[in-house]
Amino acid sequence: MKLNKLCCLCVVAALGGAMISLPALAHDRVLHSMNALQDGFLHPFTGLDHLLAMLAIGIWSAQQKHTHAWFIPASFPLMMLAGGALYLLGVVLPGVEHGIAASVLVLGLLISFAVKLSVGAGMALVSVFAMAHGYAHGQEMPVSESAMLYGAGFVLATALIHAAGWFVSNTAQKMLASKLPRFAGVMITVAGAFFLSSLE
């Protein structure tokens, strides 16, 4: 039990450190290793806004305490694919960067206040954010790479980040009630506010 508690505290400390040390917004580094699956998988880890939003989805979903709460994080990567497809089809989606920054802020607030929503409402909310994240991924995909493999890579990475957030949230809630996830939510909220203030 002490080891699990230490692990959770380390995750929160790492989250705080990442917020200080990593670039504020994603989309400033495009991976291009000629391996579309690998590039797609690594891309969500290259921007703090993407990473925090995906981690927050897992944390908040675990707070829902509903049998089908896993539908919420499951819907996010699927709608990310839809957002990426919109870009590839030439559809103009306005306010993508603001949508991504807002997703971090809103999800942080939901975690901080342990807001409970129905599964359907939760899926609808995260789907809106997922479209913005997916569209940005589509914008950054190297033109020479396979869209299918690149998409599979970032969907896999997203699912793993969701799962990490879910695991940490569940474990923390069992040991420290809701204090640790809510503290993480406050940090995510602050990051989201910073992302929004950094946009012109």
Side-chain angles (χ1 to χ4, degrees), residues 66-89:
H66 190 284
T67 305
H68 301 295
W70 65 271
F71 284 1
I72 297 173
S75 65
F76 191 89
L78 296 178
M79 293 307 293
M80 277 179 60
L81 286 176
L86 287 180
Y87 173 77
L88 295 178
L89 291 172

Side-chain angles (χ1 to χ4, degrees), residues 80-152:
M80 277 179 60
L81 286 176
L86 287 180
Y87 173 77
L88 295 178
L89 291 172
V91 177
V92 176
L93 190 64
V96 169
E97 295 294 340
H98 288 82
I100 292 172
S103 72
V104 180
L105 176 64
V106 172
L107 289 166
L109 288 171
L110 292 174
I111 295 168
S112 300
F113 294 99
V115 176
K116 302 291 193 300
L117 295 178
S118 68
V119 173
M123 290 173 65
L125 178 64
V126 302
S127 292
V128 172
F129 295 144
M131 293 288 284
H133 284 271
Y135 194 91
H137 283 310
Q139 287 178 314
E140 294 157 5
M141 183 186 72
V143 294
S144 61
E145 293 187 346
S146 164
M148 184 175 294
L149 289 176
Y150 189 87

Side-chain angles (χ1 to χ4, degrees), residues 15 19 49 52-61 63 100-115 125-126 129 178 180-193 195:
L15 180 61
M19 288 169 59
D49 49 0
L52 286 179
M54 295 171 190
L55 188 64
I57 293 289
I59 295 172
W60 180 61
S61 299
Q63 286 182 316
I100 292 172
S103 72
V104 180
L105 176 64
V106 172
L107 289 166
L109 288 171
L110 292 174
I111 295 168
S112 300
F113 294 99
V115 176
L125 178 64
V126 302
F129 295 144
S178 59
L180 191 56
R182 289 192 179 195
F183 179 62
V186 171
M187 291 195 295
I188 293 170
T189 301
V190 171
F195 295 154

